[in-house]
Amino acid sequence: MSRGFSLGGATFAFHCLPPVECRELAALLHINNGSLYDAADPVKPDFIYLLTNYWADCEPGASLANVPLRLVTRFWLQETLRLGRWLRPDSHPFFEPPARPSNLWLQYPTQYQDADLDDVDADGDVNMQDPGPAGSTGHKMRLPCSPSFLFRDEVPLWPYITAMLAQPIQNLHDLATRLQLVTLSDPRRRFNCLEYALNELLTQEEQTKFFKTVLPEMVRLVLHLPQMFAAPPPLLTPLEAEQIESSTGSSSKARVATQMHRFTKLEALTLVCGCFFGIFPDQDIVKSVQSNGSPQSKKAGRRNDNDDVIEFPYFTAVRMFSAPGNMTKLVALKAQKIRCLLQYFLRVIPRALSERTALSTEIIDFTRVGVHLPLAQGSNGPQDLLKLLTTQDLHPQLYAARCVSDALIEDLDEHLQIDFANKFAGGGVLNSGCVQEEIRFLLSPELLVSCLLFAKLERHEAFVIHGTERYCAYQGYGGSFVYGGNFEDTTALVTLPDGCVRRQCVIVGIDATDYSSARMEKQYSRGHVWRDLVKAHAGFAYPDAHDDHYSWPVATGNWGCGVFRGDRELKFLIQWLAASLRQRELVYVLFERDLDLQAKVEPLLTLATCPKAIEWDRQSGGVIQWLAGFLLNELSAGRGSVLARASRSLEQALAKLELPESKQQAKTSPVLDTKQEPSLEVDENSEATKKKPKTMHQMTMQDFFAPKQ
């Protein structure tokens, strides 16, 4: 408090405050010369500062009925004393209790659990033990409805959020006003990108539908967060080596462990609505060690240089709603991104009104995958490292690979669709980013939930999202990206044993190393190649992407080869090896500008599928061992085209190879069994000899490399 400032002459009363808090405030007022209202005093004050709860659910008592009142909060009193001057109650949103509509109440279910309070034991100490199931780290999501979500450790934000959003929102001006209030944005901030999207990219019919039907239901879903998430969902944080080992048991091979959380489509919609309004708190977890050596977990607290922080992406779309007015291209780009998000709401909100049961039955699985390698890889040879990653009892074999240019990754159903991810899920999707990962998230905004759920990926981790739907088409890339209209997703829905329904779309996020500000030649070193191999191995390990006994292929492309300046030829080989170790075929998607890569790949594929190479691989896994040796030993020793060097290396290995004559001959020109009775001649045109077209699952390696008819 400033020297000389006093509350003298002001009269105060309390309303809807617990007795303990009333006693504390009375002592504070007494110290600062403030007076408490006494109804028996014949001299009545001109008005009374009524210190009230942040969510007053009752009217002031009869003793205050005839006295002018100014409702203020404890935060107003604290700031008045801190600054040493009288503050107008209407000068800050939190100086007065929220003006809620008469039909709006703060309702929590009886069994509501708060994420922060759940981590504290009976003695008030933070519980660092893992109370959850196997694979869970015990950290819970911080929801905006949490009573511990506070402004300056004092003001609970949920009463204000609900009161502000519950006010009628009839047009863009109302929406911008609510967004500024609930996000505490600078009042001078213009939501010009949102304005562009709503006014220029929506038809008049769509605008009317959005403000009259869609937006009110979005608000209603957000206001029901306490009922929908009575227990906060878990956060999927990095799995340490000890956790992976305890969940999988000891082994001489790489151990893969997963954390998974399942949301219904309705729950995902509610969370994305919260993202649109920008109401979610940061999920960052700060672990620091106290002076007595005991650990303490603090969420979204002030970080110190020595803090061990588990970081999360931000989960608010508000950054996407604004851009400097003189950057017209950026304004237009962000507006196109917002249009994709609006399409999601225009499509799904009507279903929430008419098909609520269906949205509560269809589910989306979010999985974090971690790989633990038990040995010191630096001293092991390629064959030893290969054994660490293989899941087969016998020697692994190289699976088929092919390049395609007539489809996009997101168009390939029943494939692992690779997301060239940032280590923070979503990358810049909620700001100005608009490359492969961001575009994929815009096509399926349910993916945005991963920004809330997944902590930053470690070098041995990937994430997998199974069950999202695509809602819009697009054109362009980067700065030329534009919304391309509605998209009807025909991906199959499968009923699971528990009766839930899940869409057969699997998206795998693997982040690449950034070589844009480092020496590009580092990516050819053994350590960097091994890092990418383990990363891809984690992503391709997802077990639920299969049909019967057939594992879905991997649909990928130039992973980390854009602004990160990765070598696309190297990435092709690493992903081919990783997919083969997970017994998956590789489908490498090329843009038109990358067609020269296909010409470079073909000589290597021709060598890898010649009869001698196939027999070598069948007998001893020779080709896949050669590929591992080339990547981990030979690659760093030379220069030039990676694929050209790989072709020469394989050609030399095959030239030196001597296979048993009988086995090699049996593969190339089978010998008829002399004991076999001669077969009857059959008309080649008969139904018995006509070959049925092979399905994708029946195709061999040679079929994949055969020229298209």
Side-chain angles (χ1 to χ4, degrees), residues 279-330:
I279 61 175
F280 271 86
D282 291 337
Q283 302 298 323
D284 289 3
I285 302 169
V286 182
K287 293 181 180 179
S288 60
V289 179
Q290 298 175 332
S291 57
N292 60 4
S294 62
Q296 183 177 7
S297 175
K298 299 183 295 182
K299 298 188 179 182
R302 182 173 297 174
R303 300 176 185 172
N304 299 316
D305 292 338
N306 297 326
D307 284 336
D308 180 16
V309 183
I310 300 176
E311 297 178 287
F312 285 78
Y314 55 83
F315 188 63
T316 171
V318 174
R319 297 187 185 188
M320 191 165 54
F321 294 164
S322 302
N326 59 346
M327 301 179 68
T328 55
K329 290 185 178 180
L330 182 59

Side-chain angles (χ1 to χ4, degrees), residues 619-641:
Q619 289 185 25
S620 60
V623 179
I624 198 170
Q625 291 187 33
W626 159 81
L627 180 54
F630 174 78
L631 288 171
L632 297 171
N633 280 354
E634 298 180 37
L635 181 65
S636 59
R639 294 290 184 271
S641 167

